[in-house]
Amino acid sequence: MTPVHATFGEVTAERRIASVPLSHVSVELGHLYMEDFEAGPGRLREQFRRVAPWLATVRALWREQVPGGRARVSTCFLVDDYFSRFSTPAELVPMVLEAAAEQDLTIDYLARESACAQFEDPRSGRVELARLVEDRIVDDPPPGTDGSRPPVKETGWLCNGSRSPRTTPLQAMGKARPWEPPAQNAKRGHSIFVDVELWDEKGPRRTWSCPFLAAVWQLLRLGLLRSEGRVPLTPVAVDGDWPRDWDGLPALVRLNPQAAPFSAYTTLSVLSPRFLPVELAVRTILSQVAVDDEVLRQVAARSESEGIRLEEELVDRISYVFV
Amino acid sequence: MLVMGEVQTGLLQNSGEISESACRQVLGLMAGETVRVSRRPIVHALSPERLTGVDCALPTASRSRIRGVGTVVTRCAVTGGRVAQGSTYVRVVRSETDRRLPWSHYLARPGVVEVLGKAKAADLAEGFTGDPAPGCLDLGAVSGRFLDLVQASPLLDRRAPFKMARTSLRWVAETGEPSIRFTLHTERERTLRLTHPGPFTPAVVDLCEDLALHDWLLTSLLVIVERARIGATPGAQAVARLAPAVDHLLHLWMPAARVEEWLTPFWESLERRPGFTRQWRSLVDRVRDQVAMNTLALLTAEAGRR
């Protein structure tokens, strides 16, 4: 008898990672906080007026790069409903869309910032995106980190180097230890030391920081997050009237039925320079997030099949215009 | 250049074996990631992989200072709901620069440590499986920490049926002419040098974990038989001391159950020399003979009383 070659498989023993449709670039047209809303529709119009030429530029640049000029560009807009709740979707969404239309801008997707912390998914229940990302943080190790001790952590903080040693109070030790500077791990000559607060807790309630949620937002836009192997957040169209409550609005809404996919190989955010420190913090966080290997490979394979070379490091796939 | 790893194996700190669903919770080391479970021929649950950043000297036999920067991969496993393992490994490659790069560079290469400066694979391999100097890359500590995390799960009652020390297997895998060398050092330390054809794949890690598991089983059974002091203590007492082996260990022996086919010859060669399964069978026979003899003695005593 010839030997029989047997194969045996078990579904629960395999790892399945869903893939996500990808545009070439996701452009964030704006990020609305309560103070912007309170400043009235003029502020919003001004924002869109400043964004419009940059969107045109990025479209033109990608058209040149993509064979046949078929660049997939999607636009998105983020509304803060996490740090402060203001207005209602019924009131706010039409106002935003109108202000954008005045500048000939189409907003393809609208997202609620609280979704970056957690949201209720009709299929899989509560999805805690922020926790997902928190567990993927791999601390930038200072020289001398050999694995023998757990990483030095200040709970709820993340930095890019070694913090200053604690200076002890004068009474306790008799002699105060002189101040020593913190150091950046990957410094070039001199340090730019950054220490970012990821969250704080008052009683049982944890509040994620704005940079942390912005980091989650970037990862969503880059299509790099998975939960149990599935794509955690997919855009949903809203039929009929806008709800009167933010919780009634899907976490990510598709406004334009013809829109290119929400997630993209690269992102561009057009922001006011007042967001510069926030984005430095976002980059500090993102350069310490380990994205799933399989997801990275998927995205790399897809882009290569289109003849596009993506930057290896994910922070290099994110760009900004500060105007 | 080479891949090195360290597996720590120990008894799960629970009175009985745990269920498949408990395994999933105990090994849920990362939000949004599933624990992979296979049920044939033995229930084996594998945690998601976690990364740890390192920037330190690598162990070398020549004691020359070689700096490595990157991440190491750790995963934990529970076999048969009874034996827990923490396993860490890293691929060592030459860096294209001689200075440390931004951290995002290393995170784009998970599980890789880049060597800054000149290093020889043989020097590193000898250093790692030899006697690593303190302050060098300590994969055992990383494995141990994640294993502690699993053992500290609130789902476990921490009432293990017997005490057994963890064992540690440090291994180095390289590409080349197939060869395998398994060495027992102290009671708890083992090393493995493996040369395999073709490039490294995670299947090599599976093989090392499988060998570590079976070495721990064999070591544990030896210790239990030794503790029973067969012949020196009354039969009933000896059998009582052997009971934990019957209850918790004997059914777990499944060599090469999870090893890919191209790597099974390595297991087979270790079966020829030193012959893990041969020793295991002889011990199992000894345990069963003791139980049978004791049963016979009890029956004879019972008959005499009538």
Side-chain angles (χ1 to χ4, degrees):
Chain A
M1 196 178 136
T2 49
V4 176
H5 183 78
T7 40
F8 173 71
E10 283 182 273
V11 174
T12 52
E14 289 162 12
R15 202 159 170 265
R16 292 180 182 205
I17 303 293
S19 65
V20 51
L22 292 162
S23 290
H24 291 113
V25 58
S26 151
V27 183
E28 179 176 1
L29 300 179
H31 190 149
L32 192 76
Y33 287 98
M34 185 159 76
E35 67 237 44
D36 304 300
F37 175 73
E38 283 172 343
R43 168 84 67 99
L44 207 54
R45 263 185 235 125
E46 177 58 23
Q47 160 78 7
F48 288 137
R49 196 181 59 76
R50 266 182 296 185
V51 168
W54 299 102
L55 178 63
T57 307
V58 84
R59 260 187 220 285
L61 287 173
W62 273 98
R63 272 195 201 122
E64 274 171 35
Q65 214 182 324
V66 178
R70 283 187 297 272
R72 300 187 301 276
V73 179
S74 70
T75 60
C76 57
F77 191 86
L78 190 66
V79 180
D80 170 35
D81 66 330
Y82 184 75
F83 297 103
S84 49
R85 286 270 168 124
F86 54 93
S87 185
T88 64
E91 182 188 16
L92 195 125
V93 178
M95 182 184 109
V96 171
L97 294 181
E98 200 175 303
E102 280 175 28
Q103 301 297 326
D104 285 330
L105 291 178
T106 308
I107 300 175
D108 295 328
Y109 300 95
L110 182 116
R112 296 197 281 124
E113 184 151 10
S114 63
C116 297
Q118 62 177 57
F119 65 94
E120 294 296 328
D121 184 77
R123 283 175 310 157
S124 43
R126 175 170 294 182
V127 181
E128 294 185 89
L129 288 179
R131 294 267 180 193
L132 226 65
V133 174
E134 188 193 22
D135 272 4
R136 294 207 153 269
I137 290 177
V138 179
D139 296 53
D140 186 342
T145 307
D146 59 10
S148 61
R149 281 184 296 271
V152 183
K153 271 194 189 292
E154 289 296 331
T155 308
W157 288 78
L158 186 70
C159 71
N160 65 349
S162 315
R163 298 180 174 92
S164 281
R166 253 175 244 272
T167 43
T168 43
L170 202 60
Q171 304 93 306
M173 300 296 288
K175 201 173 159 193
R177 194 171 167 182
W179 179 81
E180 282 174 47
Q184 181 187 0
N185 288 336
K187 67 178 176 188
R188 290 196 131 181
H190 298 88
S191 283
I192 302 174
F193 179 76
V194 182
D195 208 343
V196 183
E197 189 168 16
L198 304 179
W199 46 262
D200 66 357
E201 268 170 359
K202 287 188 183 71
R205 187 182 146 76
R206 175 181 286 199
T207 307
W208 298 95
S209 69
C210 167
F212 193 81
L213 295 183
V216 177
W217 175 234
Q218 287 285 1
L219 289 166
L220 278 172
R221 289 168 67 202
L222 290 169
L224 297 175
L225 290 183
R226 299 291 183 275
S227 175
E228 314 287 336
R230 291 191 295 267
V231 180
L233 184 59
T234 44
V236 176
V238 173
D239 295 327
D241 293 341
W242 296 104
R244 308 221 150 264
D245 180 24
W246 287 104
D247 291 324
L249 190 74
L252 177 61
V253 183
R254 180 191 284 117
L255 298 167
N256 172 14
Q258 275 91 46
F262 166 72
S263 296
Y265 295 140
T266 62
T267 71
L268 171 74
S269 299
V270 186
L271 298 167
S272 152
R274 72 189 156 104
F275 289 108
L276 206 88
V278 176
E279 296 305 324
L280 172 62
V282 170
R283 293 177 76 84
T284 303
I285 297 167
L286 285 178
S287 50
Q288 299 182 57
V289 171
V291 171
D292 189 284
D293 211 11
E294 181 60 38
V295 177
L296 285 178
R297 271 200 295 268
Q298 256 181 19
V299 175
R302 185 94 63 80
S303 62
E304 269 163 35
S305 73
E306 286 196 69
I308 292 163
R309 262 203 81 75
L310 275 188
E311 294 290 344
E312 212 168 50
E313 296 166 34
L314 72 100
V315 282
D316 295 335
R317 299 180 191 175
I318 298 167
S319 56
Y320 305 92
V321 176
F322 289 104
V323 281
Chain B
M1 290 169 77
L2 76 166
V3 186
M4 49 200 201
E6 181 159 345
V7 190
Q8 296 216 344
T9 309
L11 185 70
L12 194 70
Q13 293 302 307
N14 199 54
S15 46
E17 65 182 47
I18 62 168
S19 67
E20 191 188 310
S21 68
C23 282
R24 286 182 192 277
Q25 290 182 57
V26 165
L27 293 174
L29 299 180
M30 195 191 281
E33 280 292 327
T34 28
V35 171
R36 284 181 285 161
V37 179
S38 57
R39 304 186 186 88
R40 301 277 186 278
I42 188 165
V43 179
H44 180 268
L46 192 62
S47 78
E49 294 182 337
R50 292 280 302 251
L51 298 178
T52 304
V54 294
D55 175 351
C56 59
L58 300 179
T60 50
S62 64
R63 302 282 176 196
S64 53
R65 274 195 69 82
I66 305 287
R67 182 180 174 192
V69 186
T71 56
V72 302
V73 184
T74 308
R75 59 197 204 174
C76 293
V78 173
T79 307
R82 188 70 274 183
V83 187
Q85 289 183 297
S87 165
T88 303
Y89 68 96
V90 61
R91 282 191 292 143
V92 181
V93 304
R94 283 193 183 82
S95 171
E96 283 171 13
T97 67
D98 54 2
R99 63 184 175 85
R100 181 175 160 162
L101 298 170
W103 188 234
S104 47
H105 168 85
Y106 302 102
L107 284 187
R109 296 157 183 76
V112 171
V113 159
E114 293 188 351
V115 175
L116 310 186
K118 287 192 179 72
K120 289 195 181 80
D123 193 18
L124 288 171
E126 291 293 330
F128 185 66
T129 52
D131 184 20
C136 287
L137 179 63
D138 191 346
L139 298 182
V142 182
S143 294
R145 240 188 344 268
F146 279 100
L147 188 51
D148 289 343
L149 202 64
V150 168
Q151 298 279 29
S153 163
L155 266 87
L156 304 178
D157 63 19
R158 255 162 291 283
R159 292 202 317 259
F162 52 92
K163 275 197 168 41
M164 194 58 64
R166 284 181 187 177
T167 56
S168 142
L169 173 79
R170 274 205 309 278
W171 57 269
V172 170
E174 291 168 276
T175 300
E177 275 297 301
S179 74
I180 188 163
R181 192 169 84 217
F182 188 92
T183 313
L184 296 183
H185 294 257
T186 61
E187 275 174 22
R188 296 188 47 245
E189 284 180 38
R190 288 94 176 81
T191 57
L192 180 74
R193 289 286 298 269
L194 184 79
T195 315
H196 55 83
F200 169 82
T201 78
V204 173
V205 186
D206 293 339
L207 171 70
C208 296
E209 289 168 0
D210 198 49
L211 282 168
L213 172 75
H214 287 87
D215 171 69
W216 180 86
L217 284 173
L218 190 52
T219 307
S220 301
L221 190 54
L222 271 165
V223 169
I224 289 175
V225 168
E226 202 178 277
R227 283 178 190 163
R229 303 184 61 223
I230 297 168
T233 49
Q237 213 174 335
V239 167
R241 286 183 189 159
L242 291 172
V246 179
D247 291 341
H248 301 282
L249 298 182
L250 296 193
H251 60 288
L252 297 175
W253 191 261
M254 301 268 176
R258 298 185 49 260
V259 175
E260 278 189 14
E261 210 158 324
W262 67 281
L263 288 166
T264 48
F266 290 96
W267 238 118
E268 284 157 10
S269 70
L270 286 175
E271 289 287 34
R272 283 192 296 277
R273 236 173 71 85
F276 282 105
T277 298
R278 195 161 43 202
Q279 190 176 8
W280 174 263
R281 280 209 193 111
S282 121
L283 280 168
V284 170
D285 287 348
R286 200 159 175 219
V287 170
R288 294 208 169 124
D289 288 348
Q290 285 299 314
V291 175
M293 293 270 283
N294 190 53
T295 313
L296 199 63
L298 284 175
L299 287 172
T300 317
E302 185 77 6
R305 247 180 272 141
R306 273 196 208 135

